[in-house]
Amino acid sequence: GTGHAASSAQEVFEGLGLEALQIDCRRPIQEHLDILNSYRPDVLFTMPMILDSLIHTRAVTFRPRKIIVVGDVATPSWKAHIVNHFSLQRSDLLDIVGSIEVGSIAYECFDCNSYHFDDHIIPEAVSPSRWFGEVDYPADAKIAVLTSTARRHFPAIRFVTNDLIQGFTQRTCGGKTYFTFERMIGRIGNELKNGEKISLYDVSEAVNKFLPGSRFDVYK
């Protein structure tokens, strides 16, 4: 992957006592395949768009036991596709949420089927109409505004992420109360980051629903 997640991933995994190997995402996809098929990792931590590129080659021979994804919007239908492709249990595919500006934000919880905000995050949810009056989203779609109690070099205080979330609330899970949300929709506003503005998996799902069997690709 790219950014802060790729920079710290190897350090985190090695800190857990795991053997870790990092692949430069700028290298050709065939190099990714050669390394992965040879190394055969038990855990794969990557971005949905990279995982899609690997699967699209139809040359993947390794079968990870766990997959962790970060970066793009991972929709329910996409998760179901990945689980089926690799013959995994749903709990073997973990989606986590982060950003360059804030760092680690939230992670998927399979006990209460929601995303838990990390302990260092104080989240707020604001209606999109407050800043974007022309948009029309479901009533429970909110912009995440985040404060981090952990950042020092680049403090995040009521940082407006422009990430749209649904189902923002507090709930008790495992005897502890968390700030949670049910789904990340995408990103609103003028800022465009690959995979964040609109989920191409949602578009693909819509195309497949109304034109079953049709192939849908996006090219830069």
Side-chain angles (χ1 to χ4, degrees):
T2 62
H4 66 92
S7 298
S8 57
Q10 185 164 355
E11 179 182 349
V12 171
F13 283 123
E14 288 177 347
L16 293 171
L18 301 176
E19 180 183 347
L21 175 68
Q22 187 169 339
I23 303 174
D24 188 340
C25 70
R26 295 168 296 183
R27 304 303 302 164
I29 194 66
Q30 187 57 51
E31 289 188 21
H32 288 237
L33 285 166
D34 291 343
I35 294 171
L36 290 168
N37 286 336
S38 173
Y39 191 72
R40 308 189 71 80
D42 288 322
V43 179
L44 178 63
F45 178 42
T46 188
M47 300 169 69
M49 68 177 72
I50 295 176
L51 188 54
D52 276 351
S53 297
L54 291 168
I55 292 174
H56 187 67
T57 65
R58 300 185 180 181
V60 173
T61 61
F62 73 99
R63 286 293 181 268
R65 295 168 58 188
K66 301 285 183 180
I67 297 176
I68 308 170
V69 292
V70 67
D72 312 322
V73 177
T75 65
S77 61
W78 181 84
K79 294 175 187 176
H81 166 66
I82 296 300
V83 166
N84 180 67
H85 180 86
F86 287 102
S87 300
L88 299 173
Q89 299 295 317
R90 178 61 188 87
S91 58
D92 293 328
L93 171 61
L94 176 67
D95 181 31
I96 61 177
V97 179
S99 76
I100 296 295
E101 305 90 349
V102 181
S104 180
I105 294 173
Y107 57 93
E108 200 172 9
C109 174
F110 301 107
D111 293 328
C112 63
N113 295 318
S114 68
Y115 287 79
H116 289 192
F117 281 97
D118 289 343
D119 290 340
H120 73 101
I121 295 292
I122 302 173
E124 301 170 74
V126 179
S127 172
S129 62
R130 180 168 180 176
W131 295 297
F132 305 96
E134 73 282 2
V135 300
D136 183 21
Y137 282 97
D140 67 339
K142 305 293 184 181
I143 296 176
V145 178
L146 306 177
T147 296
S148 171
T149 62
R151 297 186 67 89
R152 293 293 181 267
H153 298 294
F154 183 73
I157 302 172
R158 305 193 82 182
F159 181 81
V160 180
T161 66
N162 283 348
D163 288 326
L164 282 175
I165 57 176
Q166 282 184 297
F168 175 74
T169 188
Q170 275 188 294
R171 72 180 73 204
T172 300
C173 179
K176 183 178 178 180
T177 301
Y178 297 90
F179 284 103
T180 68
F181 64 91
E182 293 179 358
R183 184 187 177 202
M184 178 74 73
I185 302 175
R187 180 165 286 212
I188 194 173
N190 295 326
E191 184 183 54
L192 176 60
K193 293 184 179 179
N194 200 4
E196 294 177 338
K197 186 74 170 184
I198 183 171
S199 172
L200 296 182
Y201 309 114
D202 277 340
V203 177
S204 297
E205 183 179 7
V207 171
N208 187 60
K209 178 179 179 181
F210 295 102
L211 299 170
S214 296
R215 181 174 174 179
F216 176 77
D217 289 314
V218 176
Y219 296 94
K220 293 183 181 179

